Amino acid sequence: MAPTSYQAPMRGDKADKKTVSQSTESNLASTTSTVAKLLEQKGDAVHAVRPQDTVHHAVTVLRDKRIGALLVTDQNGDMQGILSERDIVRKLAETPGQTLPQQVDGLMTREVTTCAPADALETILRKMTDGKFRHMPVLDDGKLCGMITIGDVVNFRLNELEYESLRMKQMIVG
């Protein structure tokens, strides 16, 4: 039985008049995913420590926030470096039992690869993979505006692929 909203074609109907809720163009339209789009969903929260803070303090923040890296900023919020779990583990191996009282300044990575909000996520994913790092600060005109992780990028991209797959199925089914 046809739905009650169905109207059978009538004499005089124009054959070329057709309405659709989707089009090939809308289903196949693709946009480049950017860091800005990811940050819209994730938010722009950045966790940071100062260079003179102890590693013990940094480890506590990492544990409490359940994150893998902290930005190191000065009193003005300008980025000085990044401190990751890997930096801490390397120092633990070099100075066993003496690492926690040391200052963050002695462990942090000073040369930090950053990205901008307009950067394409595929490019960022490639940089992270090639550079073998998992955290990337986001700078907008030199000012810190967020931090993304390789997990954020992969998850965002998986959600996009799932959505694209759904759109393709809808286009095929009609």
Side-chain angles (χ1 to χ4, degrees):
M1 178 171 206
T4 58
S5 63
Y6 174 75
Q7 293 181 1
M10 308 213 21
R11 191 177 300 173
D13 283 350
K14 295 186 179 177
D16 62 312
K17 185 178 179 186
K18 181 170 139 182
T19 61
V20 292
S21 61
Q22 301 173 27
S23 67
T24 304
E25 292 79 23
S26 69
N27 280 323
L28 296 178
S30 72
T31 58
T32 302
S33 300
T34 62
V35 171
K37 289 180 184 176
L38 188 154
L39 287 177
E40 282 176 21
Q41 290 183 0
K42 178 186 179 183
D44 58 1
V46 175
H47 303 287
V49 292
R50 303 270 187 262
Q52 66 274 13
D53 287 342
T54 65
V55 174
H56 181 268
H57 171 70
V59 169
T60 302
V61 174
L62 289 169
R63 180 198 64 205
D64 293 349
K65 299 295 182 184
R66 301 181 72 181
I67 54 177
L70 293 164
L71 288 179
V72 183
T73 59
D74 63 15
Q75 63 276 7
N76 299 324
D78 294 328
M79 188 175 60
Q80 303 299 302
I82 191 167
L83 180 70
S84 71
E85 294 168 324
R86 287 181 184 172
D87 295 326
I88 296 166
V89 168
R90 284 186 190 109
K91 196 62 164 184
L92 281 168
E94 292 171 10
T95 58
Q98 303 167 12
T99 306
L100 293 179
Q102 294 180 35
Q103 288 187 337
V104 167
D105 194 346
L107 283 79
M108 70 182 191
T109 301
R110 294 176 191 282
E111 303 271 330
V112 182
T113 303
T114 63
C115 61
D119 290 346
L121 287 181
E122 289 181 19
T123 304
I124 299 306
L125 189 57
R126 176 65 44 213
K127 279 184 183 180
M128 291 174 136
T129 302
D130 291 346
K132 294 182 173 52
F133 55 88
R134 300 174 292 160
H135 303 85
M136 188 180 283
V138 183
L139 299 178
D140 192 7
D141 289 328
K143 289 289 182 193
L144 195 55
C145 65
M147 171 96 105
I148 61 172
T149 68
I150 199 163
D152 296 333
V153 178
V154 168
N155 188 46
F156 188 88
R157 190 64 187 124
L158 284 174
N159 286 336
E160 276 188 329
L161 290 171
E162 186 177 324
Y163 179 69
E164 287 172 18
S165 172
L166 177 63
R167 286 184 5 205
M168 290 296 284
K169 287 176 187 172
Q170 288 173 337
M171 186 180 79
I172 291 167
V173 172

